Amino acid sequence: MRRRSLLGALAAGVVGSSAGCVGHPLPPLRGTVARKRIVAEDGTLLAVTRSGIDPRTRLLRERFPREPMAGNTTITEKLAGEIRERHDDVGCRVTVRHRNENYVDGVDSGETMSYRATRSTFNQVMAGDGIGFQIGLVDRPNLLAPSEIVRSGRIVEKRLLGRRNPDDRKPTEKRLLTVTREGVSTNRSGLSGRTVGRRTAKRLLKTFDALVYRFVVAHGSPGKRLYETERPQFDRARVGETATFKVKGDDGGRIAEFVDGG
Protein backbone atom coordinates (compact mmCIF):
# COMPACT_ATOMS: atom_id res chain seq x y z
CA MET A 1 0.00 0.00 0.00
CA ARG A 2 1.35 3.46 -0.87
CA ARG A 3 2.18 5.65 2.12
CA ARG A 4 -0.51 8.22 1.31
CA SER A 5 -3.16 5.50 1.15
CA LEU A 6 -1.81 3.97 4.35
CA LEU A 7 -2.04 7.31 6.17
CA GLY A 8 -5.60 7.77 4.97
CA ALA A 9 -6.56 4.35 6.28
CA LEU A 10 -4.81 4.96 9.60
CA ALA A 11 -6.43 8.37 10.02
CA ALA A 12 -9.81 6.78 9.42
CA GLY A 13 -8.90 4.21 12.04
CA VAL A 14 -8.14 6.92 14.56
CA VAL A 15 -11.52 8.54 13.95
CA GLY A 16 -13.16 5.16 14.35
CA SER A 17 -11.20 4.46 17.51
CA SER A 18 -12.60 7.61 19.12
CA ALA A 19 -16.10 6.22 18.73
CA GLY A 20 -15.33 2.56 19.30
CA CYS A 21 -12.68 2.86 22.04
CA VAL A 22 -10.11 1.04 19.93
CA GLY A 23 -6.40 1.65 20.63
CA HIS A 24 -3.95 3.56 18.46
CA PRO A 25 -3.81 1.90 15.00
CA LEU A 26 0.00 1.94 14.87
CA PRO A 27 2.32 -0.38 16.80
CA PRO A 28 4.16 1.33 19.67
CA LEU A 29 7.54 2.87 18.94
CA ARG A 30 10.63 2.81 21.14
CA GLY A 31 13.74 4.92 21.11
CA THR A 32 16.25 7.05 22.98
CA VAL A 33 15.92 10.82 23.34
CA ALA A 34 18.98 12.30 21.63
CA ARG A 35 18.09 15.98 21.95
CA LYS A 36 15.28 18.34 22.80
CA ARG A 37 14.91 21.92 21.62
CA ILE A 38 12.83 25.05 21.87
CA VAL A 39 12.59 26.55 18.39
CA ALA A 40 11.08 29.64 16.80
CA GLU A 41 10.85 31.31 13.42
CA ASP A 42 14.33 32.76 13.96
CA GLY A 43 15.98 29.42 14.85
CA THR A 44 16.83 27.26 17.87
CA LEU A 45 16.45 29.08 21.20
CA LEU A 46 17.41 26.27 23.57
CA ALA A 47 19.04 22.90 22.93
CA VAL A 48 19.54 20.14 25.52
CA THR A 49 21.66 17.05 24.88
CA ARG A 50 23.60 14.63 27.08
CA SER A 51 26.56 16.98 26.62
CA GLY A 52 24.79 19.87 28.29
CA ILE A 53 22.43 22.82 27.96
CA ASP A 54 22.82 25.41 25.21
CA PRO A 55 20.63 28.50 25.77
CA ARG A 56 20.95 30.81 22.80
CA THR A 57 19.05 33.91 23.88
CA ARG A 58 19.64 36.38 26.69
CA LEU A 59 16.38 35.40 28.39
CA LEU A 60 17.23 31.70 28.43
CA ARG A 61 20.84 32.27 29.45
CA GLU A 62 19.44 34.04 32.51
CA ARG A 63 17.28 31.00 33.35
CA PHE A 64 19.56 28.08 32.49
CA PRO A 65 21.31 26.21 33.92
CA ARG A 66 19.23 26.10 37.11
CA GLU A 67 21.95 25.52 39.68
CA PRO A 68 22.22 23.47 41.81
CA MET A 69 19.60 21.37 39.97
CA ALA A 70 20.86 22.01 36.44
CA GLY A 71 19.21 18.82 35.21
CA ASN A 72 15.83 20.54 35.52
CA THR A 73 15.21 21.96 32.04
CA THR A 74 11.45 22.33 32.27
CA ILE A 75 9.74 25.28 30.62
CA THR A 76 7.14 26.73 32.96
CA GLU A 77 3.96 28.33 31.67
CA LYS A 78 5.28 31.73 32.73
CA LEU A 79 8.60 31.23 30.93
CA ALA A 80 6.79 29.94 27.83
CA GLY A 81 4.77 33.16 27.78
CA GLU A 82 7.92 35.28 28.02
CA ILE A 83 9.46 33.36 25.11
CA ARG A 84 6.33 33.84 22.98
CA GLU A 85 6.42 37.58 23.67
CA ARG A 86 9.89 37.73 22.09
CA HIS A 87 9.63 35.21 19.25
CA ASP A 88 7.13 34.04 16.64
CA ASP A 89 6.10 30.43 15.91
CA VAL A 90 7.58 29.00 19.11
CA GLY A 91 7.49 25.22 19.38
CA CYS A 92 9.11 22.20 20.99
CA ARG A 93 11.11 19.49 19.23
CA VAL A 94 12.27 16.12 20.55
CA THR A 95 14.81 14.12 18.54
CA VAL A 96 14.59 10.35 18.99
CA ARG A 97 17.01 7.64 17.91
CA HIS A 98 14.70 4.79 16.98
CA ARG A 99 14.97 1.25 18.29
CA ASN A 100 12.30 0.06 15.87
CA GLU A 101 10.93 1.29 12.56
CA ASN A 102 8.54 4.18 12.07
CA TYR A 103 7.28 3.17 8.66
CA VAL A 104 4.81 6.07 8.42
CA ASP A 105 7.59 8.68 8.44
CA GLY A 106 10.17 6.38 6.85
CA VAL A 107 12.52 6.10 9.83
CA ASP A 108 14.51 2.87 10.19
CA SER A 109 15.79 1.38 13.43
CA GLY A 110 18.97 3.21 14.43
CA GLU A 111 18.03 6.41 12.60
CA THR A 112 16.96 9.66 14.24
CA MET A 113 13.88 11.80 13.69
CA SER A 114 13.05 15.24 15.07
CA TYR A 115 9.40 15.30 16.19
CA ARG A 116 7.08 18.13 17.07
CA ALA A 117 6.08 17.83 20.73
CA THR A 118 4.01 19.64 23.31
CA ARG A 119 5.59 21.62 26.11
CA SER A 120 4.40 18.92 28.51
CA THR A 121 6.29 16.24 26.58
CA PHE A 122 9.37 18.49 26.36
CA ASN A 123 9.27 18.86 30.15
CA GLN A 124 8.78 15.15 30.80
CA VAL A 125 11.79 13.83 28.90
CA MET A 126 15.55 14.22 29.29
CA ALA A 127 18.28 13.54 26.76
CA GLY A 128 19.29 9.92 27.21
CA ASP A 129 15.85 8.70 28.25
CA GLY A 130 14.51 5.50 26.80
CA ILE A 131 10.91 6.12 25.78
CA GLY A 132 7.91 4.25 24.45
CA PHE A 133 5.63 6.45 22.36
CA GLN A 134 3.12 6.80 19.56
CA ILE A 135 3.10 9.27 16.70
CA GLY A 136 0.33 11.58 15.59
CA LEU A 137 -1.06 11.16 12.10
CA VAL A 138 -1.57 14.87 11.49
CA ASP A 139 0.94 17.73 11.64
CA ARG A 140 3.64 15.11 11.17
CA PRO A 141 6.18 14.22 12.38
CA ASN A 142 4.43 14.53 15.73
CA LEU A 143 5.38 12.72 18.96
CA LEU A 144 2.47 12.01 21.27
CA ALA A 145 2.88 11.87 25.04
CA PRO A 146 5.29 9.02 25.95
CA SER A 147 3.69 5.91 27.42
CA GLU A 148 6.92 5.06 29.26
CA ILE A 149 10.05 6.98 30.25
CA VAL A 150 13.08 5.10 31.57
CA ARG A 151 16.01 7.08 32.97
CA SER A 152 19.33 6.41 34.71
CA GLY A 153 21.39 8.40 37.18
CA ARG A 154 23.47 8.24 40.34
CA ILE A 155 21.62 8.83 43.61
CA VAL A 156 23.63 11.36 45.59
CA GLU A 157 21.18 12.31 48.33
CA LYS A 158 17.97 11.12 50.01
CA ARG A 159 15.66 13.51 51.83
CA LEU A 160 12.63 12.98 54.04
CA LEU A 161 10.40 15.95 54.77
CA GLY A 162 7.31 16.37 56.88
CA ARG A 163 4.56 18.48 55.32
CA ARG A 164 1.84 20.36 57.12
CA ASN A 165 -1.22 21.67 55.26
CA PRO A 166 -2.77 24.40 57.44
CA ASP A 167 -6.21 25.60 56.40
CA ASP A 168 -6.16 28.56 54.01
CA ARG A 169 -2.38 28.82 54.22
CA LYS A 170 0.53 27.69 52.11
CA PRO A 171 1.79 24.20 53.03
CA THR A 172 5.02 24.11 55.00
CA GLU A 173 7.77 21.48 54.89
CA LYS A 174 10.36 20.50 57.49
CA ARG A 175 13.48 18.50 56.68
CA LEU A 176 13.54 15.41 58.90
CA LEU A 177 16.26 13.24 57.41
CA THR A 178 19.14 13.70 54.96
CA VAL A 179 21.30 10.83 53.75
CA THR A 180 24.51 11.46 51.78
CA ARG A 181 27.77 9.58 51.24
CA GLU A 182 29.14 11.50 54.21
CA GLY A 183 26.50 10.15 56.58
CA VAL A 184 23.05 10.69 58.06
CA SER A 185 21.66 13.95 59.40
CA THR A 186 18.37 14.07 61.30
CA ASN A 187 16.51 16.18 63.83
CA ARG A 188 13.98 13.52 64.85
CA SER A 189 14.43 10.63 67.25
CA GLY A 190 14.03 7.23 65.62
CA LEU A 191 15.48 8.40 62.31
CA SER A 192 19.09 7.40 62.79
CA GLY A 193 19.18 4.97 59.85
CA ARG A 194 19.14 5.35 56.08
CA THR A 195 15.58 4.05 55.62
CA VAL A 196 12.11 4.88 56.94
CA GLY A 197 10.17 1.83 58.03
CA ARG A 198 6.41 1.51 57.97
CA ARG A 199 6.10 1.95 61.74
CA THR A 200 8.30 5.04 61.73
CA ALA A 201 6.29 6.57 58.91
CA LYS A 202 3.05 5.86 60.76
CA ARG A 203 4.42 7.53 63.90
CA LEU A 204 5.55 10.61 61.98
CA LEU A 205 2.12 10.97 60.36
CA LYS A 206 0.73 11.68 63.82
CA THR A 207 2.70 14.94 63.70
CA PHE A 208 2.62 15.79 59.99
CA ASP A 209 -0.15 15.74 57.39
CA ALA A 210 2.08 14.03 54.83
CA LEU A 211 5.61 12.72 54.35
CA VAL A 212 7.57 13.72 51.27
CA TYR A 213 10.31 11.40 50.00
CA ARG A 214 12.91 12.90 47.66
CA PHE A 215 16.07 11.94 45.82
CA VAL A 216 18.78 14.12 44.35
CA VAL A 217 20.04 12.30 41.26
CA ALA A 218 23.16 13.21 39.26
CA HIS A 219 22.78 12.78 35.52
CA GLY A 220 26.31 13.80 34.54
CA SER A 221 25.74 16.61 32.12
CA PRO A 222 23.51 18.64 32.30
CA GLY A 223 23.55 17.97 36.07
CA LYS A 224 21.54 17.07 39.14
CA ARG A 225 17.80 16.86 39.43
CA LEU A 226 15.40 16.60 42.36
CA TYR A 227 12.74 13.85 42.34
CA GLU A 228 9.86 12.80 44.53
CA THR A 229 9.02 9.17 45.16
CA GLU A 230 7.20 6.83 47.57
CA ARG A 231 8.56 5.22 50.74
CA PRO A 232 9.26 1.74 49.24
CA GLN A 233 11.49 3.27 46.54
CA PHE A 234 13.09 5.61 49.08
CA ASP A 235 14.00 2.72 51.37
CA ARG A 236 15.20 0.51 48.52
CA ALA A 237 17.66 2.98 46.98
CA ARG A 238 21.20 3.41 48.27
CA VAL A 239 23.12 6.67 48.09
CA GLY A 240 26.02 6.38 45.67
CA GLU A 241 24.46 3.73 43.45
CA THR A 242 23.62 4.22 39.79
CA ALA A 243 19.99 3.30 39.27
CA THR A 244 17.61 2.89 36.35
CA PHE A 245 14.04 3.94 36.97
CA LYS A 246 10.72 4.85 35.38
CA VAL A 247 9.57 8.42 35.80
CA LYS A 248 6.12 9.97 35.75
CA GLY A 249 4.56 13.36 36.37
CA ASP A 250 3.95 16.44 34.25
CA ASP A 251 7.64 17.33 34.44
CA GLY A 252 9.10 13.82 34.67
CA GLY A 253 10.00 14.59 38.26
CA ARG A 254 8.59 11.55 40.04
CA ILE A 255 10.36 8.19 40.32
CA ALA A 256 7.62 5.59 39.99
CA GLU A 257 9.69 2.40 40.21
CA PHE A 258 13.18 1.02 39.76
CA VAL A 259 13.97 -1.36 36.93
CA ASP A 260 16.89 -3.59 35.89
CA GLY A 261 17.86 -4.26 39.46
CA GLY A 262 18.02 -0.55 40.33
Side-chain angles (χ1 to χ4, degrees), residues 109-160:
S109 176
E111 294 182 337
T112 59
M113 169 64 78
S114 177
Y115 290 95
R116 293 179 179 85
T118 63
R119 181 169 60 88
S120 176
T121 295
F122 178 95
N123 287 343
Q124 287 177 322
V125 301
M126 289 181 68
D129 285 351
I131 61 172
F133 64 102
Q134 293 284 10
I135 55 173
L137 300 179
V138 296
D139 197 24
R140 298 175 23 252
N142 180 18
L143 188 152
L144 302 181
S147 58
E148 181 179 81
I149 304 173
V150 179
R151 186 173 298 166
S152 295
R154 182 170 55 87
I155 298 172
V156 297
E157 188 175 313
K158 297 166 62 172
R159 301 175 182 175
L160 171 66

Side-chain angles (χ1 to χ4, degrees), residues 165-171:
N165 300 308
D167 294 338
D168 301 323
R169 285 185 292 168
K170 185 178 180 179

